[in-house]
Amino acid sequence: DLIEKEEFPSVKTHSVEYIAKKHGVSVEQIQSQLEMGIKVEKEHSKDKAKAREIALDHLLEFPDYYDRLEKVEEK
């Protein structure tokens, strides 16, 4: 369930399935958030793989991270 990051071997990125299981939500919910997250994170990095890693790291903390972010940005 873990993917090693090349630049930081001691830091791991968890899979969509692992994150869904951790939070008790569907894989589809995490996948949907991940798609939103990649778009958001590409504002910081043009590298899609790096944007995906960043998004997965945020989703590990909160399964609805990008919904929350969208609400905060609307205010």
Side-chain angles (χ1 to χ4, degrees):
D1 282 352
L2 298 177
I3 302 166
E4 283 196 62
K5 293 182 182 180
E6 289 180 37
E7 295 174 18
F8 310 104
S10 63
V11 180
K12 310 264 186 217
T13 299
H14 292 278
S15 68
V16 170
E17 293 80 9
Y18 175 88
I19 294 170
K21 186 175 181 179
K22 176 185 187 263
H23 293 296
V25 299
S26 71
V27 169
E28 292 78 18
Q29 178 182 335
I30 298 301
Q31 190 62 47
S32 173
Q33 288 289 300
L34 179 59
E35 289 170 16
M36 289 173 63
I38 290 170
K39 289 176 187 170
V40 169
E41 301 307 337
K42 281 182 80 178
E43 294 172 8
H44 306 290
S45 171
K46 298 301 175 202
D47 181 346
K48 187 175 179 179
K50 181 66 92 183
R52 185 177 191 278
E53 281 183 32
I54 295 166
L56 286 169
D57 289 345
H58 287 310
L59 293 171
L60 185 62
E61 294 180 48
F62 300 102
D64 59 345
Y65 183 90
Y66 292 97
D67 284 341
R68 292 179 186 209
L69 184 63
E70 195 172 67
K71 286 178 185 166
V72 168
E73 289 179 348
E74 285 175 2
K75 289 183 180 182

